[in-house]
Each structure stands twice: as C-alpha cells, then as structure tokens.
Amino acid sequence: MSGGIAEFRGFYAILGFALSAFACAPARMPGAAAPPNTPAPAAAQPLLVGAASVDITPPPGPATFGHGPDSFASQGYWTRLGCRAFVFQSEGAHNRHVLVSCDLGAISHLLQREAALRLKNEVHVSRLMLTATHTHAGPAHFFENPAYSGTLSSRNPGFDPKMVDFLADRIASGVKAAVAALRPARLRWLSGPVWELSRNRSPLPFQANSPRFQSQWSAPAGITPAEREVDPRLEVLEIEEAAGAHAPIGVVAFFAMHPTVLPAHTRFFGGDTHGVATRLLDRDLLRVARTRGGSHAPVSAIVNTNEGDISPVWFEGTAAEAVRLGTRLAGEIQKLTQLKLPVFPDTAAPVPLDSRYLEVELAGGEYTRGRLCSRALLGQASGRGASDHRSTTDGLVDESSDYAEEPTCDPVLECQRPKAPLLGPIQPVLISTEGFPSRVPLALQRLGDRLLAFVPAELTITAGQRVARAVERSYGHGLRERTLVVGLSNAFIQYVTTPEEYELQQYEGASNLYGSQTLDFLSEKFGWLAVSLRGGDTPAWMKFGEAGRFEYKRATERPRLPDPEAGASLEALGGERRARFACRVDAFEPPAVCFAWADGAPGRVGLTKSPWLRLLRASGEPLPSCWQPFGEGQPAVCDADVPLDDRGFDFFTWSEGAAGKLWNWSTLFRPTPLQAAALKGAGRLQIRAGDISSGSFTFDDLQRCSGSVLRRCMRGAL
Amino acid sequence: MRFFGWLGAASMLGASGCSLSAGFTDAWAFPTPSRSDATTHNHLGARGSMYLHLPREYVWVAGAEGAVTGQTGPKDVNDQWRIAGAFGYSRLPSSGGSPVGYEVIGHFGILRGAVGDFRTPIGLHAGIHGGLPIRLADAVAPWQRDAAVQPHFMLVPELGVGPVLGIRRGDSPRWFIEPYAALNFRVHLTSGLVP
C-alpha cells in the first residue's frame, strides 16, 4: 500500500492549494498549427497500404463508457479490445493517410492529438483519422472534457491522463507497425444491403423527417417497420497485395449500428458485436492469406457510420447473442467480398487518395443561415437513455418536462428551445458552462471512388444522409451514393439529428448539444471541405489542415488506470501466486470450466500483453480454435494458427478483489459446441493464466462447481 | 413533479460529498497581550460538523460546525455553545489508495456562554484548523466502490487556532487567542457518480 501516515508531508496541503488553483486554469490542447506539406506529386508511385492491429485492453478498474451513470467500473474482460490501423499512401510519403478503428465508445480530441504527437514522423495530425466502433464496454476516463469524464459520465468518473497515454501509445505503435508493413496494394469497394440485423430505435423522430432517409435498396417483405427504417448499407473496402496471388491485407467494413447487445451494467470490457465480427473476419482472412502466400497477418475493422438511431436487433443482451449478431455481420461482410468487382488500380492511373481537415468552433459557430447556440446543453430526455437501454434515472422526472414550450429571456435556453435542460440550473454547476467540446475536427477523405466524411458525432441515418448529399452536391464528379459518414471520429459531441428530430426532443434530439441548426452547420462545413477537396476556391479564413493549440476546460483528474507499480511485484509474490481451484460448470451447454487463481494486482499481471489466458494441452502445446466458416456447406475448421486463448471470445476473466498482498482472479472458459466436441479428443488439458496453470484435467474428471464456488463462477455468465 | 425530480437529483448529487462529524474538542484560550488581565481558560466538550464537497472538483468544502463545551477552568461559569460557517479544502483518503488525507478548513461564527471569567450573551469566534482524515477500512477495488451512495468512516484528528471575542454589555470586549484540538469520528457519504 502506498501512502500512509508515515509518508504524509505537511507541504501536501500547500501543494494541494497550488494544484487546485492550477486545476482552475484552462488546459491547452497539444497541436501543430501548420497544415501538411503537399509538394507536387513526383513520378507516379503505386498505392501502398499497410495494416496492423494492436491490443488496448486495460486492466480492470476503469469504468466502461457509453451508458452514463449506468456504466460501472470494470472488473474484467470478455473479448479483448483492439485498434486496427490502416495506412494508405500514394505518390510518396507526403500523401499518407491513416485510418484507425478502435474498440472504444468514442474518440476524444485529446486522444487524437496525443496519438498524432507520437506519430509526427509518420503522418500529419490532419490525416490521422481515429474512429470508434462505439462499443459501450470500452474504457472511460480519456475524455478531456468535464461532460465526458465528470459527474454522471460513468461510475467513478474522472479524467486520467495515464489512460490517454496508455491508449495513445498503443495506437501509435499500431500505426507504426502498419507503416512498416506498407506494400503495393489494390483496393476494391463493395456495397450491399443488410436487413434484419439492425432496427430503428427512435421511430417517431425518424418519421417526423421531411424528406425521410431513403435507401437505395428496397426492404424485403415481411420485416417490421423498425427493421425497415434503417440504413442497410454495408460498404466493404477490400485491400489486397498488388503482387503475387493478391494475398489479403485487410478488410474495412462500414455499417450503421450501435454495437450494444451487452447490458449497460456489464463489468466486462468487450468489443460486443463488432469485436466478435472482427475476430471472425481476422480468422477467415488469415486462412486466405496463407493460401495466397501472404507475408503479414491481415487485419479487419468495422467502422460505424450514421448509427445514431440504429440499434442491433437484440432481445437477450447476452454474450451469446452478441456472438450470434457479430457472426451474422461478419458473414455479410465476407459474403460481399466474394463479389468480384473491379479493383483500384485497374489502370496505371493513381488511386484517388486525398483529404481535407477543418477544425470548427461550435459554440456560437457561424454559418450562412445563422449561428449555433453559444453554449452546449443536454436536454432532459438525454437522461432517460436510448429506448433500447433505458437509464436507471429514467422515470425520475415526468416526460412533460422534456419540453420547454414557453419563450425565455435566457439566450442559451431560448436558442436551445424546445430542449429543456437536464437537471435544470444544476447542469452547468456540475459540468461547467464550458464542459462540452466546442472546437472539433471535421475531415473529408477521398479513397478510391468513395468519399469518407469523418464526423465527431453520432448522426441519425437521416442526418447522415443529408451530410452526404451536401458533400456530393459540392464535390460533383458523379459520386452520388458514394459518400460514407464515418461517425465517432477524432472527437465526440454525442448526437446530431435533423431539425425535425430535434423538435421532438427524444433521446437523440435531447443529446444534440448545440441546438437544432447543428446539422445545417455541419452540412455547410462539409460542403466547403468537398469544394476544397475537388480543388475549388474556399474562403481564406478556413484553415484547412491546421490543428492548432487551443485552451479548453479540463475535467477533474482522478487516477483510474490501475497503477503498474501498485501492490507487490510478481517476483516478490513468488510462490504465493498459485492456482486455487478448477471446476466444471454444468449450468452451460456445453459445460464450462471455471478456474480461479491468486495473482498480482490488476496493474501488475500480464493482462495487457495478450494472450494472457490460454487453454493448452497438459503437455503445454497450444490447442487450435475451431469454428464454422461462413457460407453454407463449409466443413468446420480447427486451425492451429488461431490458438485457443483470450483473443477469441471463449474466456470471461475477472478479478474478485484483493486478499492481502494477492488478488483473486477467475476465468470462465465457455466453449462453443463445436469447440467442446473437438476438445473431447484432445486428451488432458490445462488453463494457463500467464505462468499459472490450473493443473491438468479433462472435462469429465473435473469436479462440479457448487455452492459459493458456483456463485462466484457464474459472475462470468455474461 | 418537476420539483421532486430536481430535489431527488440534487439530493443524490449533494450526498456525493457530505461529511458528518462528531467528536470531542479541547480548547485553551489565552488573553491577547492588550488585555493581560483577562483570564486564561480551557473548554472541553463535544462538537459536530457537516461539510458539503462542492462540484466540480469536490475538494472545496462548505458547511457548518458547532460545539457544546464545558469550561474546565476557571469553573465559576462553565457552559458554552458555538456555531460557525466553514469553508476549506479537503482531500479525503480514497477508498482504493492512501488511507490518509488532509484538509484545511476555516470557520467564522458566534458563541454564547462562558468566556474566561464572564458569560457572554453573544460572542464571535473564527479560526483555521488542519486535519488528517484517516480511513477506517481496508482499501477496496474500484468495482467495489462505485455505488451511487456509499458511506466511509474516518477518524479525523485536528489542530487549530483562532481568535475568540467575548462581548458583554457594560464591559469592554475581551479578545483571546484559542488553540484547540479535536478528535472526530466522521461519516463521509460519497457517490460513484461524481469524480
């Protein structure tokens, strides 16, 4: 235990005063003011693409992010969290663009800037696009603003700079690995509809739109209205090596759906549906790469688009359901990649690759038809939670107070009308009047024949379509239906709805921070980005590519990432680190194995160096993962190159807490029926947590878990 | 309904940093040099306090203190009570880290009763004290301390000093400098909803 009476020093009080005075001072966002250099292209150079993935699973302790006060402190993890980095380069290193998709709830502006600082030799900050899958089972505490690290943003809220460093370091290492893996490549964009996987969770605001969202595909007969009122568009960017047998480099899928099957109260980190889908796709791509002589492990990523009002079609909220829906999504992606469409480059001409970046001020932000509200405000209905994950504070206040019908003298409230402020006058006290992000980055990228609009928000499908239309109107070149809104990118300002949706002040509209005109404001800015991207004239005051330093209000700092120095070192614990018990849980079909052991503190154990948990033969040899490949009639696969460990989704691992110097840990290994059948013939097995072994067992000779042991093991029944 | 909703939310958040203390205090009052004829006296008694930790940092506190003491010497007049408003800086021990915190709190208030050799119908007192809140429970993991409302129990030794002014009609005011010590048992309510 660090600290204590003996270590207390009187000057801490004085230091505290000084620090608190310092805390009141605005923080400064790191940045580079100069736009990227864009020298004239040299001789035509081939498109190069590199991809790499990196693990970002923190030790348990930080809260999850996404469900506000219902996001509890994590106790362990289910699927690991990861970031997948793709580096695109054409016409030399000066035209290098990076796309990183992370298993996070959102991206903070500070995280994007800090990652860029670590990558200043690899890519300009304005070309580093970080985007979140929007899992609500990723960590909190890396948001610099009081709104997202302060009161009610999660349980045990607080901003932890060490969490920012943890994530930024790993993202940077992933991008550097992708740069190192750059090789000549070719691209293929694929597109198709996916129905009955997602549904519209806010049908009334959706129906209030005029014009409404229109899909280019017709919905199949017989599906529910909520399943019809979605954006079914699945776009897949397939990247292959240009040389040889065209081994896959990676796949990036763009789809509009919250990955929120897991319950709001989960204490397990996990990638939810999108985490499952990427793991399945990685396995599939690895097999293809092997057959084509690929030299690098391929990488898959899922990027969320305009998912603001779109939820998965979930009923149970279990891990098994997340696996089922994730498998469906992966299957749809894989099905599209079977299409043999034209690829870039199909001629000697370079692949269109360019981008524009613009940071805009939202508070009072001006645009042609007016200006946004001078201060962000959460509406009363935002405290209720989305319709498929109602907050525990829902019902505290009756719904009539969600609307402010009467004019008011307060210019902020009047601008935000009919939004009624959440918690009334208490909101600015708790969050501060400058507690929300105000300066945010927008970016537009051309990649092949698609335009990617990176927005730091969750746009409803109708709002997203209006932004896309604005881009296409300004860009021209016949790129209709070729613009994708990439939500949750580079910063976070919650939802952006259409003015019609805003008027109804349901959850999404009440979470639209800067008033009903936000969508028009963004559409206009994206129009200018498109004009600039096509080489047109833009106002001189628009500083494209600049990411300068600016002051912001920083959230209350609290240490939340487990300290790697806290608690006794693993060496000091020595032989006290040991297996406690292993038993069989017959409550599952097929049965699961529960393994408990005593180990170091969360910051000390080898959890962040994947894999930590492995199922091995008693001899120590790895066991292959087994799964059913996509496509009907395919035989089951057991692949030794995909070992059975916690990088899949069979292990549910958690800590129970400290017991003296040691910490008690447990894992629940829940094999699929296919996996369980394969294990029957595998002889004696062992589970290893780092270097601690359960001892050898077979499923049949393991003792049944019962009593208090069973109760403890069932904590992993996510 | 709106009123009760707000009241519920405010109560929940207000409980996020509310300290309730009860303990014993011992104060020794010495006359100021300008009134060397005044009597040195000593008080011993019970005290209570309540502080609210203020958003958004939850380290600044505001609240009230009160005490009922008996004057142990001279004993001819012996009871006194006092109340005060308080404001200060308080870093309480965390549930998962150091078991010891620190705080510096100032107060200003009124008193009634014995002040040395006479009774004052109304007097003034002020002061500043430093305390070392000590957590009375083992550290717990983050997932064991994220409930909406949680009580924490602490022992808080304090040392302070401040002026006391006794006022009685027909007499000139009497100033004292009062060092004091206290030992408090504190119940601190926190919320996992605030930093």
Side-chain angles (χ1 to χ4, degrees):
Chain A
M1 179 72 63
S2 62
I5 296 176
E7 294 177 50
F8 178 80
R9 299 289 182 274
F11 72 84
Y12 279 8
I14 298 164
L15 189 62
F17 276 115
L19 286 176
S20 81
F22 179 75
C24 294
R28 188 171 277 271
M29 184 71 71
N37 286 324
T38 50
Q45 295 183 33
L47 172 74
L48 304 179
V49 181
S53 60
V54 64
D55 190 277
I56 57 164
T57 317
T64 59
F65 182 82
H67 289 295
D70 291 338
S71 295
F72 280 70
S74 63
Q75 195 173 354
Y77 65 101
W78 169 41
T79 68
R80 286 188 163 277
L81 305 175
C83 288
R84 295 108 200 156
F86 294 82
V87 178
F88 302 90
Q89 178 178 314
S90 77
E91 300 170 24
H94 71 271
N95 194 30
R96 182 182 285 169
H97 302 257
V98 176
L99 171 64
V100 185
S101 168
C102 293
D103 288 324
L104 293 171
I107 302 294
S108 72
H109 201 169
L110 183 62
L111 178 60
Q112 191 251 2
R113 291 289 185 95
E114 286 290 340
L117 270 181
R118 290 157 173 79
L119 292 166
K120 59 186 175 195
N121 296 325
E122 282 77 22
V123 65
H124 190 269
V125 57
S126 67
R127 290 171 171 174
L128 173 64
M129 300 295 122
L130 299 190
T131 182
T133 62
H134 201 39
T135 174
H136 285 36
H141 315 302
F142 61 92
F143 296 87
E144 67 275 16
N145 299 102
Y148 306 127
S149 285
T151 301
L152 296 173
S153 62
S154 69
R155 293 300 171 105
N156 295 345
F159 169 67
D160 188 349
K162 288 183 178 167
M163 181 64 88
V164 179
D165 290 339
F166 174 81
L167 295 172
D169 286 345
R170 287 171 180 245
I171 290 168
S173 72
V175 173
K176 286 176 182 176
V179 168
L182 279 170
R183 53 206 189 272
R186 59 182 202 168
L187 312 176
R188 178 189 287 123
W189 277 102
L190 307 151
S191 183
V194 178
W195 299 102
E196 298 177 85
L197 178 62
S198 58
R199 66 179 181 81
N200 195 306
R201 69 184 191 190
S202 294
L204 289 180
F206 174 82
Q207 288 156 12
N209 284 308
S210 178
R212 285 189 200 163
F213 172 86
Q214 288 197 324
S215 170
Q216 55 187 303
W217 292 281
S218 300
I223 66 174
T224 65
E227 291 172 359
R228 195 165 50 235
E229 293 167 349
V230 300
D231 181 356
R233 180 182 184 185
L234 173 65
E235 293 266 353
V236 176
L237 175 63
E238 190 177 21
I239 312 159
E240 300 170 338
E241 290 180 3
H246 305 304
I249 293 174
V251 159
V252 188
F254 299 77
F255 187 61
M257 184 180 83
H258 273 74
T260 48
V261 170
L262 297 179
H265 291 163
T266 183
R267 291 189 185 273
F268 287 74
F269 286 133
D272 212 303
T273 52
H274 292 16
V276 169
T278 48
R279 278 149 190 79
L280 291 171
L281 288 166
D282 282 348
R283 291 175 181 181
D284 193 61
L285 287 170
L286 186 65
R287 295 177 63 225
V288 178
R290 219 168 33 202
T291 61
R292 297 187 190 175
S295 53
H296 297 76
V299 178
S300 68
I302 300 187
V303 172
N304 232 319
T305 58
N306 35 215
E307 45 64 60
D309 47 353
I310 306 299
S311 290
V313 182
W314 68 271
F315 301 98
E316 303 160 3
T318 60
E321 190 173 38
V323 170
R324 185 167 56 76
L325 296 182
T327 303
R328 165 88 200 283
L329 178 58
E332 296 289 344
I333 294 165
Q334 201 263 358
K335 203 189 298 177
L336 271 184
T337 62
Q338 303 300 307
L339 299 173
K340 295 301 174 197
L341 297 178
V343 296
F344 290 97
D346 56 355
T347 69
V351 175
L353 176 64
D354 200 358
S355 70
R356 290 294 181 274
Y357 177 96
L358 179 67
E359 293 200 347
V360 296
E361 184 66 35
L362 295 175
E366 293 183 10
Y367 72 115
T368 312
R369 287 195 283 160
R371 60 193 310 168
L372 301 184
C373 300
S374 60
R375 179 158 67 78
L377 197 68
L378 275 174
Q380 188 77 36
S382 68
R384 304 186 185 287
S387 65
D388 62 329
H389 283 287
R390 283 297 186 202
S391 148
T392 48
T393 54
D394 181 32
L396 196 63
V397 182
D398 66 73
E399 287 185 13
S400 64
S401 60
D402 290 355
Y403 312 97
E405 305 284 6
E406 300 300 321
T408 164
C409 298
D410 184 318
V412 173
L413 297 183
E414 183 60 19
C415 174
Q416 297 271 5
R417 218 157 49 88
K419 184 193 289 174
L422 177 68
L423 296 173
I426 303 172
Q427 185 181 143
V429 176
L430 294 177
I431 300 178
S432 138
T433 52
E434 303 156 52
F436 293 88
S438 178
R439 179 167 162 160
V440 296
L442 312 175
L444 186 65
Q445 184 182 65
R446 177 153 185 188
L447 181 55
D449 65 353
R450 296 293 195 279
L451 292 168
L452 306 179
F454 293 89
V455 192
E458 301 177 66
L459 273 64
T460 60
I461 55 171
T462 314
Q465 189 164 61
R466 291 183 190 179
V467 167
R469 292 278 185 270
V471 167
E472 288 163 359
R473 272 195 305 273
S474 299
Y475 192 77
H477 297 303
L479 285 186
R480 190 167 166 81
E481 300 291 355
R482 299 293 174 93
T483 303
L484 290 162
V485 166
V486 181
L488 300 146
S489 297
N490 299 327
F492 186 53
I493 54 165
Q494 295 180 248
Y495 289 82
V496 173
T497 62
T498 64
E500 301 95 304
E501 292 166 339
Y502 185 90
E503 199 63 27
L504 290 186
Q505 280 300 300
Q506 293 202 358
Y507 172 70
E508 292 82 8
S511 308
N512 183 350
L513 298 176
Y514 285 94
S516 63
Q517 301 307 307
T518 309
L519 178 62
D520 287 348
F521 173 89
L522 290 178
S523 296
E524 183 174 298
K525 301 301 179 199
F526 270 101
W528 284 115
L529 282 161
V531 168
S532 176
L533 191 62
R534 72 153 200 255
D537 292 331
T538 56
W541 51 266
M542 286 191 169
K543 306 292 185 191
F544 293 103
E546 287 192 8
R549 292 156 65 89
F550 64 91
E551 291 185 345
Y552 66 94
K553 175 78 89 179
R554 180 173 276 204
T556 307
E557 286 191 26
R558 296 283 186 268
R560 297 302 186 211
L561 185 71
D563 182 356
E565 303 297 320
S569 69
L570 300 187
E571 293 74 24
L573 292 172
E576 293 180 78
R577 298 172 59 234
R578 58 186 162 71
R580 289 167 55 220
F581 63 82
C583 59
R584 193 181 69 239
V585 183
D586 289 340
F588 301 106
E589 182 53 44
V593 177
C594 181
F595 169 47
W597 71 100
D599 209 333
R604 292 277 190 182
V605 295
L607 187 154
T608 59
K609 299 180 186 74
S610 69
W612 188 36
L613 270 296
R614 292 173 293 163
L615 186 74
L616 304 168
R617 294 184 200 279
S619 61
E621 286 174 67
L623 283 157
S625 289
C626 298
W627 71 95
Q628 186 67 48
F630 306 113
E632 289 179 12
Q634 298 265 3
V637 170
C638 289
D639 192 334
D641 285 347
V642 185
L644 199 45
D645 57 40
D646 62 3
R647 290 172 295 185
F649 29 86
D650 309 303
F651 287 91
F652 301 76
T653 305
W654 71 97
S655 171
E656 290 166 10
K661 287 188 296 182
L662 292 160
W663 284 64
N664 289 328
W665 293 85
S666 299
T667 193
L668 191 65
F669 171 69
R670 290 174 59 185
T672 62
L674 182 62
Q675 190 73 63
L679 290 174
K680 279 199 182 302
R684 298 193 72 76
L685 311 170
Q686 61 169 319
I687 295 179
R688 273 188 173 272
D691 55 357
I692 300 176
S693 170
S694 64
S696 73
F697 65 84
T698 66
F699 275 73
D700 292 333
D701 70 11
L702 266 182
Q703 195 179 355
R704 268 185 68 227
C705 306
S706 61
S708 63
V709 167
L710 178 63
R711 282 198 298 278
R712 277 152 64 182
C713 291
M714 289 301 281
R715 189 166 295 170
L718 186 63
Chain B
M1 272 313 292
R2 176 182 295 207
F3 172 76
F4 288 109
W6 282 18
L7 194 65
S11 307
M12 187 174 70
L13 296 166
S16 62
C18 182
S19 289
L20 296 161
S21 295
F24 298 98
T25 186
D26 197 2
W28 306 267
F30 304 99
T32 58
S34 62
R35 288 301 305 264
S36 55
D37 58 326
T39 311
T40 297
H41 57 276
N42 174 245
H43 287 266
L44 182 64
R47 73 189 297 267
S49 59
M50 188 182 82
Y51 306 124
L52 190 65
H53 288 237
L54 304 174
R56 291 179 306 111
E57 298 291 330
Y58 298 94
V59 290
W60 295 101
V61 296
E65 298 176 352
V68 177
T69 58
Q71 186 165 296
T72 54
K75 290 187 175 178
D76 49 337
V77 283
N78 54 25
D79 63 310
Q80 185 201 79
W81 60 259
R82 51 177 74 183
I83 56 171
F87 183 81
Y89 185 89
S90 174
R91 285 272 186 192
L92 293 175
S94 68
S95 310
S98 167
V100 183
Y102 62 89
E103 62 188 18
V104 180
I105 295 174
H107 67 262
F108 181 82
I110 58 173
L111 63 85
R112 181 184 173 90
V115 179
D117 57 356
F118 73 100
R119 293 185 70 87
T120 178
I122 192 81
L124 300 173
H125 69 106
I128 186 166
H129 64 76
L132 293 178
I134 302 165
R135 190 185 66 217
L136 295 177
D138 288 339
V140 292
W143 52 90
Q144 295 164 328
R145 57 171 196 264
D146 63 357
V149 179
Q150 309 152 79
H152 304 270
F153 302 102
M154 291 169 224
L155 207 57
V156 190
E158 288 176 4
L159 286 175
V161 65
V164 172
L165 175 65
I167 304 167
R168 186 166 65 174
R169 185 172 293 176
D171 255 331
S172 54
R174 296 189 186 182
W175 283 97
F176 297 88
I177 292 296
E178 182 185 70
Y180 57 94
L183 184 64
N184 302 298
F185 174 74
R186 181 178 295 180
V187 181
H188 179 64
L189 297 175
T190 64
S191 171
L193 301 171
V194 301

